[in-house]
Amino acid sequence: MTALAPGENRPAPGDQLTVTVASSASVDVSALLVNTAGKVRSDADFVFFNQPTGPGVVYRHGNGGPDVVGVQTSALPADVDKVVVTASLDGRGPATFAAVGALTTTIESGSTALTFPITGLTTESGVVCVEIYRRNGAWKVRAIGQGYDDGLAGIASAFGVNLDDDPEPAAAQGHSSPVMPAPPPGPPAYPPPAYGQPGGPAQQPTYASQQGAQPVHSDLFDPSHAEVNGLGIQKQGGKMVKVGMNGEVMARSGSMVAYQGELKFEALGSGGIGRAIRQHLTGEGVPLMKVTGRGDLFLANSAADVHIIDLDGTDGLTINGANVLAFDSTLRYDIGRVQGAAGYASNAGLFNCVFTGRGRIAITTHGSPVVLTVDQATYADPNAAVAWSSSLQTGIKRNDSFGLGRLMGRSTGEASTLAFSGRGFVIVQPSELPPGGLIGGTGGGQQAGTGGSIFG
């Protein structure tokens, strides 16, 4: 095993290379395929946890051990000049490499190995470890060790990766979602929009078989269970939405319960490279699928209550990702820190999804919520506040004094609450256990959030 000094280069030990970055702290390893200008050819050349394969390069999660990047130099495209291997702190441990001990990169092929111990990092949270580069038709390895204060996002941006999650939204295709008008002067009111539900006088429902059998009689065939009509996102009963499709809609992955017509489903992860990085670090986001085509789409999430909100572009909606069911593609969303709460958060902070623009969004709650108009000081349990106007100012209020009672295990059970001020609304559900957790939730898979709540 040969140790490399910073800046030293050696011939690549083989065609099939395995690059491992071992550290005393948990790190994410990634790779960038760059051209002679030192930039990626497209975002597909950024290989990381949310995009694990590229031409000639594959990322493999360590599953308790170090992450690994595999490189087959003979499979790299002719216009790729080098493969840059990086490591970044993943938000679960130290904030910078100053608090990290050993950080060692190993490049192996067969029985031959090169190692590069990286030292001297201070304020950095990301580092370019090594590069595998082409020189006169042969492949070589160079030890780099260059740090970046802004972590994986900073490295990706430096090599030309587009971190803007979405292009400017196009006009809605095939339908126009109704929007709430701007509120008049005075304390705002936010009545839920009334959507047409099928109804009518009670009757003896039947379903006549097309096969010539006796008709089926059931209250299931009552008009109250029939499909609602129209295009766009609409409530179908209290726990489901129907999307009349003639274009596209964004929906929570795995939320489809039925559809009719010709629809195409495309998995989007968290919705973009920049947002995927932020979701990984914050535990917040929405695992998305894009649905396109013509037909009817039915969505639900664990029989949670469904509500429709229309945004008219004058204010945004801050919401836990676990409570998002579907939204028009005309809306934009990002992951933002909850103002006033950073001082009480873990190393990643306190984050939620923020939706802006004009369009419709379907959210879920655990039980029937109350919508509070914020025209005075308003407080809510952080696990019950589902969503609120983005224009509101937020903070944390400590309710229990830290005295003898707390030391002896006596508490009100309401030690901290979210405080709201300004003008807007807060949606509060009658439950402190939302699906996937609220701020810094606990869901996995198709539920957003991976961190633990700080308000337990």
Side-chain angles (χ1 to χ4, degrees):
M1 184 175 294
T2 302
L4 301 177
E8 184 178 358
N9 63 76
R10 296 266 181 161
D15 175 52
Q16 298 274 359
L17 302 174
T18 299
V19 184
T20 305
V21 182
S23 171
S24 58
S26 180
V27 296
D28 291 319
V29 179
S30 60
L32 300 105
L33 290 74
V34 301
N35 56 24
T36 55
K39 302 293 184 181
V40 296
R41 301 168 303 165
S42 72
D43 290 351
D45 286 340
F46 182 29
V47 179
F48 69 123
F49 49 79
N50 206 57
Q51 187 168 266
T53 60
V57 180
V58 62
Y59 161 86
R60 294 191 293 273
H61 193 277
N63 293 321
D67 289 355
V68 175
V69 169
V71 179
Q72 183 178 354
T73 56
S74 61
L76 293 171
D79 55 348
V80 169
D81 185 61
K82 66 182 67 172
V83 177
V84 178
V85 179
T86 77
S88 56
L89 295 170
D90 66 1
R92 293 180 291 175
T96 70
F97 278 112
V100 176
L103 180 68
T104 303
T105 304
T106 304
I107 306 99
E108 297 178 281
S109 183
S111 59
T112 305
L114 304 173
T115 66
F116 174 41
I118 302 173
T119 59
L121 299 176
T122 55
T123 61
E124 301 91 342
S125 57
V127 59
V128 172
C129 301
V130 296
E131 60 183 27
I132 300 162
Y133 66 100
R134 196 193 307 258
R135 179 62 56 86
N136 297 326
W139 288 93
K140 306 186 74 173
V141 174
R142 178 181 289 119
I144 303 297
Q146 178 182 348
Y148 287 75
D149 285 352
D150 42 2
L152 182 56
I155 294 174
S157 179
F159 286 95
V161 176
N162 178 21
L163 297 182
D164 292 332
D165 293 299
D166 304 295
E168 287 299 320
Q173 301 181 33
H175 74 278
S176 176
S177 296
V179 297
M180 292 176 62
Y190 297 85
Y195 271 106
Q197 296 292 332
Q203 55 182 311
Q204 178 63 37
T206 63
Y207 174 73
S209 171
Q210 296 179 354
Q211 308 300 321
Q214 292 295 319
V216 176
H217 298 262
S218 173
D219 61 0
L220 286 173
F221 305 124
D222 185 90
S224 63
H225 298 297
E227 299 177 35
V228 297
N229 297 316
L231 293 175
I233 301 172
Q234 305 175 67
K235 288 185 68 174
Q236 177 71 52
K239 299 182 182 294
M240 190 182 304
V241 298
K242 174 189 173 181
V243 187
M245 296 287 301
N246 185 19
E248 70 179 39
V249 72
M250 312 299 291
R252 171 175 292 279
S253 294
S255 63
M256 184 274 292
V257 295
Y259 72 93
Q260 295 177 304
E262 297 297 324
L263 301 182
K264 177 183 177 182
F265 298 82
E266 178 185 356
L268 296 180
S270 58
I273 289 177
R275 194 178 301 133
I277 293 172
R278 291 190 293 276
Q279 177 179 354
H280 183 70
L281 293 175
T282 66
E284 184 59 74
V286 187
L288 291 175
M289 60 182 178
K290 180 171 70 174
V291 188
T292 56
R294 295 173 60 91
D296 295 325
L297 171 66
F298 297 87
L299 305 170
N301 190 8
S302 302
D305 292 337
V306 171
H307 312 277
I308 302 293
I309 299 175
D310 290 297
L311 300 182
D312 68 356
T314 60
D315 196 359
L317 181 71
T318 299
I319 181 173
N320 170 35
N323 295 88
V324 176
L325 182 60
F327 57 93
D328 285 335
S329 58
T330 54
L331 290 174
R332 293 179 61 89
Y333 100 90
D334 208 339
I335 299 170
R337 187 188 299 271
V338 177
Q339 296 178 351
Y344 298 93
S346 63
N347 56 1
L350 202 60
F351 296 83
N352 263 6
C353 295
V354 180
F355 287 83
T356 55
R358 293 173 60 90
R360 174 165 292 185
I361 180 171
I363 71 171
T364 59
T365 62
H366 187 188
S368 181
V370 61
V371 179
L372 302 177
T373 298
V374 180
D375 52 7
Q376 58 183 317
T378 302
Y379 305 91
D381 186 290
N383 286 330
V386 170
W388 56 87
S389 305
S390 297
S391 58
L392 290 176
Q393 288 78 53
T394 57
I396 301 296
K397 181 181 180 183
R398 292 293 193 184
N399 297 322
D400 281 359
S401 60
F402 189 79
L404 182 61
R406 290 295 302 275
L407 293 174
M408 297 178 65
R410 296 194 300 273
S411 171
T412 65
E414 308 293 344
S416 300
T417 55
L418 276 173
F420 301 93
S421 60
R423 298 174 69 84
F425 66 92
V426 180
I427 302 172
V428 181
Q429 66 181 3
S431 170
E432 297 181 349
L433 297 173
L438 184 66
I439 304 163
T442 57
Q446 294 177 356
Q447 297 294 337
T450 56
S453 172
I454 65 169
F455 299 102

